[in-house]
Amino acid sequence: MSLVEVTGLSVAFGSVRAVEDLSFRLEKGAALGLVGESGSGKSTVASALLGLHRDTGAVVDGTVRVAGVDVSSASERELRGLRGARAAMVFQDPLSSLDPYYAVGDQIAEVYRVHHPASRRAARARAVEVLDRVGIPDAGRRSRARPHEFSGGMRQRALIAMALACGPDLLVADEPTTALDVTVQAQILDLLHTLREETGMGLLLVTHDVGVAAENVDEVLVMRHGRAVEHGPVGSVLGSPAAAYTRALLKSVPRVDVPRPAALAGTAPSGSAGPAGPASGAAVLEATGLRRVFGRGAKAFTAVDDVSLEVRRGEALGVVGESGSGKTTLGRMLVGLLEPTAGLVRHEGVAVSGVRPDVQMIFQDPVSSLNPRRSVGESVADPLRARGERGPAVRARVAGLLERVGLDPAHHDRYPHEFSGGQRQRVGIARALAAGPRVLVCDEPVSALDVTTQAQVVELLDELRRELGLALVFIAHDLAVVRRVSDRLAVMRHGRVVEYGPADEIYESPSDPYTRQLLAAVPALDPDLAALRRAERREAATT
């Protein structure tokens, strides 16, 4: 009997068919990747394995058997016995999955006691044991910390520890590395692989990142609109995809080993004076000796330390580094949202302070950067009204901006929740363009999007740069996306720039060991290469 047997699964939410006639099996000790764009039904399938659609109003048809339990017909008691003990789930956002008021170790111990008649001391010891197993340093002490005292990667490790507490046969991981930088992502993927090898548990990995799937699974099931479009061994599906949709999906995946097409290199806009190329223009944005310190005295923390760089007209400067490297703080100083503790920011040679219309920011999360109580048209119009524009001309201008970023001007009066993630990011770009900027500072603008939507947003930014002569500062932890965008690159670590120069030169021949470490952590689409890199990381960790 297979660990997971899904036959003819269909899930409907009202008139929306989220999953349609899906069938697959997962054997003990094996790993299956569910891959597809946002809205393809991946997470719906993952939830169905644990019976999480029960009492939600969803209509579930077909048969789902997990570890011998028929999920559809199981009693509440049987489902409680399945969840956590036989099958466990790791969600995308650990902050929403962990209670902020309780110590991490207590939360893990509570899960353990639900399924085992253990004393509080024994449960606590088990919590420390699994935290240590997933690589939390000084697990005994850290088990008493609350979630906000953990980094993003440590919180995800804590969730995995909670899932492992009862020794499940199946681990369902729903986008477990989406919000993590490349080195932490590699650590989490290596951890999942090692745990599977050592415990023999099955793994269902839900991801929109094809490279993540290549790193960690034996088979891939590609989903679109709730249906399976291709299913087979990971090497065959990624190496020689049979379905047109799979080929299109792979084509959208940014590659860290592929130079940026020459046609996409930064150029002056058509009709402008002077030769093409980003190096031919004067700097439109300069930072000199930027430093930013938070706190005072013994608690002072230097987030950015003596950073100098410049961006020329029509050029894209990529800024990469791990979480906490100072990327976002640097971006906020360039825009004027943060005053530097020391150093200067110049716009076209003139020292400036505060927010100015010629440098605009595109934020990582368009949901939190758009007012949910105002229509998207009103949000886009804000910069226009701020500079005194009024009347019908404003609405006409907003319509033109929405159309320019690929949105229907007729959707002016719709609200942010009525748009997809990629569409909301386009609204954010339109709002930034309304101010008439010379520079766009993009802070992780595509990190929450699937690969095809990422490609669309990146292509839009490229078009705007070429047509309007905009300069871009593209901040991201995804080195493959940054290579697709950037003419030059700045690599940050601990608040400092450790490498700075032409992007292709740095990607091909990085001089700093930290840059080489970042590049080695990027997921590879080739499963054999992924296995080789995993072995190299494991060897490096033991030496």
Side-chain angles (χ1 to χ4, degrees):
M1 181 177 65
S2 300
L3 176 61
V4 176
E5 299 176 25
V6 175
T7 307
L9 174 64
S10 296
V11 182
F13 300 93
S15 61
V16 177
R17 306 285 291 184
V19 178
E20 188 75 37
D21 194 25
L22 186 70
S23 299
F24 64 88
R25 291 173 178 263
L26 175 63
E27 305 303 326
K28 294 179 180 179
L32 171 67
L34 292 187
V35 176
E37 299 170 282
S38 299
S40 62
K42 309 183 302 295
S43 293
T44 302
V45 174
S47 295
L49 296 187
L50 277 75
L52 298 180
H53 296 307
R54 184 170 292 190
D55 299 325
T56 65
V59 177
V60 181
D61 294 315
T63 302
V64 177
R65 296 185 66 85
V66 177
V69 176
D70 187 330
V71 175
S72 303
S73 61
S75 65
E76 288 297 326
R77 182 177 180 180
E78 288 174 321
L79 276 182
R80 285 195 298 269
L82 172 69
R83 297 168 183 160
R86 305 294 303 280
M89 194 163 184
V90 176
F91 295 93
Q92 175 177 348
D93 181 11
L95 267 183
S96 63
S97 303
L98 294 168
D99 192 315
Y101 295 103
Y102 292 93
V104 169
D106 291 343
Q107 296 183 57
I108 297 173
E110 182 181 1
V111 170
Y112 185 73
R113 293 189 73 201
V114 166
H115 297 283
H116 292 81
S119 66
R120 290 184 181 274
R121 176 173 293 185
R124 181 80 187 181
R126 175 60 176 166
V128 173
E129 178 186 347
V130 291
L131 283 171
D132 180 70
R133 179 64 198 84
V134 299
I136 298 293
D138 195 5
R141 181 178 64 85
R142 298 309 299 267
S143 69
R144 295 187 289 274
R146 288 171 172 76
H148 74 272
E149 300 177 86
F150 280 29
S151 67
M154 288 177 65
R155 283 193 292 263
Q156 198 60 283
R157 288 174 183 268
L159 270 191
I160 295 173
M162 186 180 294
L164 293 176
C166 297
D169 300 313
L170 171 68
L171 182 65
V172 180
D174 188 3
E175 300 280 8
T177 63
T178 296
L180 305 178
D181 57 59
V182 288
T183 50
V184 179
Q185 173 178 266
Q187 293 166 9
I188 296 297
L189 293 177
D190 290 350
L191 171 62
L192 291 175
H193 185 84
T194 301
L195 292 172
R196 187 162 64 90
E197 284 183 333
E198 294 179 355
T199 66
M201 70 178 182
L203 174 66
L204 183 79
L205 179 63
V206 176
T207 180
H208 67 254
D209 190 324
V210 182
V212 167
E215 287 269 334
N216 240 56
V217 302
D218 309 309
E219 293 188 356
V220 172
L221 193 159
V222 182
M223 294 187 66
R224 187 188 191 195
H225 302 326
R227 291 182 174 272
V229 298
E230 191 158 1
H231 183 193
V234 61
S236 299
V237 172
L238 300 187
S240 302
Y245 173 72
T246 308
R247 293 194 292 272
L249 196 65
L250 288 169
K251 187 177 180 180
S252 298
V253 177
R255 300 284 296 270
V256 75
D257 56 343
V258 176
R260 186 177 186 203
L264 296 179
T267 60
S270 58
S272 62
S280 62
V284 292
L285 180 65
E286 298 172 88
T288 305
L290 284 189
R291 190 166 186 263
R292 177 67 193 201
V293 179
F294 293 97
R296 295 180 179 179
K299 295 184 178 180
F301 170 71
T302 303
V304 173
D305 191 8
D306 193 26
V307 169
S308 299
L309 48 80
E310 66 177 22
V311 191
R312 298 180 181 275
R313 184 169 182 247
E315 178 187 35
L317 172 68
V319 180
V320 300
E322 296 174 288
S323 298
S325 63
K327 307 186 303 295
T328 294
T329 301
L330 172 63
R332 289 175 180 267
M333 285 193 289
L334 294 177
V335 173
L337 291 174
L338 279 176
E339 286 293 327
T341 305
L344 290 175
V345 175
R346 292 185 177 89
H347 295 180
E348 299 189 279
V350 179
V352 297
S353 64
V355 177
R356 298 170 62 89
D358 49 348
V359 180
Q360 291 291 307
M361 195 162 200
I362 299 171
F363 296 92
Q364 175 177 357
D365 182 10
V367 175
S368 61
S369 61
L370 294 172
N371 190 329
R373 294 181 175 85
R374 304 181 71 217
S375 73
V376 296
E378 291 171 334
S379 291
V380 173
D382 282 343
L384 301 174
R385 294 197 173 100
R387 65 188 187 196
E389 297 187 32
R390 297 288 185 272
V394 171
R395 191 175 181 102
R397 174 72 173 134
V398 169
L401 288 166
L402 291 175
E403 187 173 22
R404 181 63 197 82
V405 299
L407 296 173
D408 188 342
H411 295 166
H412 178 288
D413 296 320
R414 292 189 177 183
Y415 290 84
H417 73 271
E418 299 179 80
F419 293 84
S420 68
Q423 289 173 325
R424 284 192 291 261
Q425 197 58 286
R426 289 173 183 266
V427 173
I429 295 172
R431 182 177 59 182
L433 292 178
R438 302 293 303 277
V439 183
L440 291 179
V441 177
C442 308
D443 186 14
E444 299 278 8
V446 297
S447 63
L449 306 177
D450 58 58
V451 289
T452 51
T453 309
Q454 276 187 358
Q456 293 164 6
V457 172
V458 166
E459 184 177 355
L460 171 62
L461 290 171
D462 265 322
E463 289 176 4
L464 294 171
R465 189 159 62 92
R466 293 196 304 272
E467 294 176 13
L468 304 178
L470 292 172
L472 295 183
V473 178
F474 196 93
I475 299 168
H477 65 255
D478 188 329
L479 277 79
V481 172
V482 172
R483 183 163 198 182
R484 169 67 174 73
V485 174
S486 305
D487 301 303
R488 287 188 300 129
L489 185 69
V491 182
M492 292 191 68
R493 187 185 192 194
H494 301 327
R496 288 182 168 270
V497 172
V498 297
E499 195 153 1
Y500 181 51
D504 284 342
E505 290 183 13
I506 292 177
Y507 277 96
E508 295 296 334
S509 301
S511 60
D512 192 90
Y514 175 68
T515 308
R516 293 196 290 271
Q517 177 187 340
L518 287 179
L519 290 170
V522 176
L525 286 177
D526 181 347
D528 294 333
L529 177 58
L532 177 62
R533 287 184 175 179
R534 183 167 52 245
E536 290 174 347
R537 289 194 295 266
R538 185 178 298 179
E539 182 179 351
T542 58
T543 57

